[in-house]
């Protein structure tokens, strides 16, 4: 990275303090890691920092998709990484690679927020325990990715019901905004 760009980025973050209100009291906090919430540079900086995350899946066959020759090993949305494979040992290999990747890039993985969903496991079958940094990852029946709930039985009807609630709430808020600001009957283009 050019020295002038690095210097500009460092000055952008230097001396930042945040005020955390809590009822009648507040605390000032100086953050020393991470990126600023709401800063237009934050998504770019994060993306540049993890642009080689795919290396954790080298040599691993991911999860099957609707196409015979397409396998997916991971999905990344904002700061949420989802690892996918058809075999538990493949997921464990990626978790091991993720730990090495995180340490070499000075990143932290919050294992308390990490969980595993075993899709379509037979009822009563013993599901393997997956580990990350010496901690057993919690098994869940479902997870959200981005805003869509995926259940371990892959019942898409249940997933679509969960997705419809926030979508309808957003549509209601937009309709109210349009009425409150008299945006009716105006031409627009969606490109």
């Amino acid at each position: 990275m050019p020295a002038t760009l690095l210097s500009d980025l460092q000055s952008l973050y230097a001396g930042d303090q945040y005020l955390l209100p809590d009822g009648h009291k507040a605390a000032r906090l100086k953050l020393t890691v991470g990126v600023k919430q709401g800063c237009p540079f934050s998504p770019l900086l994060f993306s540049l920092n993890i642009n080689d995350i795919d290396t954790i899946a080298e040599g691993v066959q991911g999860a099957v998709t609707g196409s015979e020759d397409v396998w997916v090993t991971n999905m990344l949305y904002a700061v949420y990484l989802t690892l996918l494979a058809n075999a538990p040992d493949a997921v464990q290999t990626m978790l091991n690679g993720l730990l090495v990747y995180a340490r070499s890039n000075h990143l932290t993985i919050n294992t308390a927020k990490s969980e595993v969903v075993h899709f379509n496991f037979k009822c009563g079958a013993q599901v393997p325990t997956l580990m990350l940094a010496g901690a057993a990852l919690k098994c869940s029946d479902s997870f959200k990715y981005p805003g869509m709930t995926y259940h371990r039985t892959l019942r898409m009807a249940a997933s679509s019901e969960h997705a419809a609630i926030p979508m309808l709430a957003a549509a209601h808020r937009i309709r109210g905004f349009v009425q409150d600001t008299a945006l009716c009957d105006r031409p627009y283009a969606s490109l």
Side-chain angles (χ1 to χ4, degrees):
M1 175 181 294
T4 55
L5 178 58
L6 180 59
S7 175
D8 289 344
L9 289 172
Q10 288 172 332
S11 67
L12 180 67
Y13 282 80
D16 278 355
Q17 287 190 0
Y18 298 89
L19 183 65
L20 300 175
D22 182 19
H24 297 292
K25 57 186 177 184
R28 289 204 179 273
L29 177 51
K30 183 176 180 180
L31 299 179
T32 57
V33 295
V35 293
K36 291 182 180 182
Q37 293 291 320
C39 174
F41 288 117
S42 294
L44 175 63
L45 292 173
F46 181 76
S47 295
L48 289 173
N49 194 42
I50 63 159
N51 70 342
D52 58 346
I53 193 73
D54 285 343
T55 60
I56 67 169
E58 286 178 1
V60 173
Q61 187 175 37
V64 69
T65 65
S67 178
E68 290 179 17
D69 56 345
V70 177
W71 298 76
V72 177
T73 57
N74 65 75
M75 299 185 302
L76 184 63
Y77 177 77
V79 297
Y80 303 102
L81 174 66
T82 301
L83 303 178
L84 304 162
N86 289 340
D89 59 329
V91 176
Q92 186 62 62
T93 298
M94 288 189 284
L95 288 169
N96 297 343
L98 178 61
L99 185 59
V100 171
Y101 179 88
R103 287 180 177 161
S104 67
N105 287 287
H106 309 285
L107 300 172
T108 303
I109 303 168
N110 187 344
T111 56
K113 289 186 175 181
S114 302
E115 55 188 30
V116 175
V117 177
H118 292 277
F119 290 107
N120 288 330
F121 246 75
K122 292 186 169 95
C123 188
Q126 181 67 30
V127 294
T129 301
L130 298 175
M131 306 290 288
L132 182 61
L137 296 179
K138 175 185 153 201
C139 284
S140 297
D141 285 339
S142 62
F143 78 100
K144 282 189 176 182
Y145 182 84
M148 184 78 162
T149 302
Y150 295 89
H151 193 267
R152 66 178 177 79
T153 61
L154 291 177
R155 290 179 298 148
M156 292 311 289
S159 296
S160 62
E161 289 169 12
H162 287 287
I165 294 168
M167 191 272 305
L168 290 173
H172 178 73
R173 286 192 302 273
I174 291 169
R175 190 175 321 126
F177 174 77
V178 167
Q179 290 170 349
D180 293 346
T181 56
L183 289 177
C184 300
D185 301 320
R186 296 189 181 190
Y188 70 94
S190 179
L191 306 171

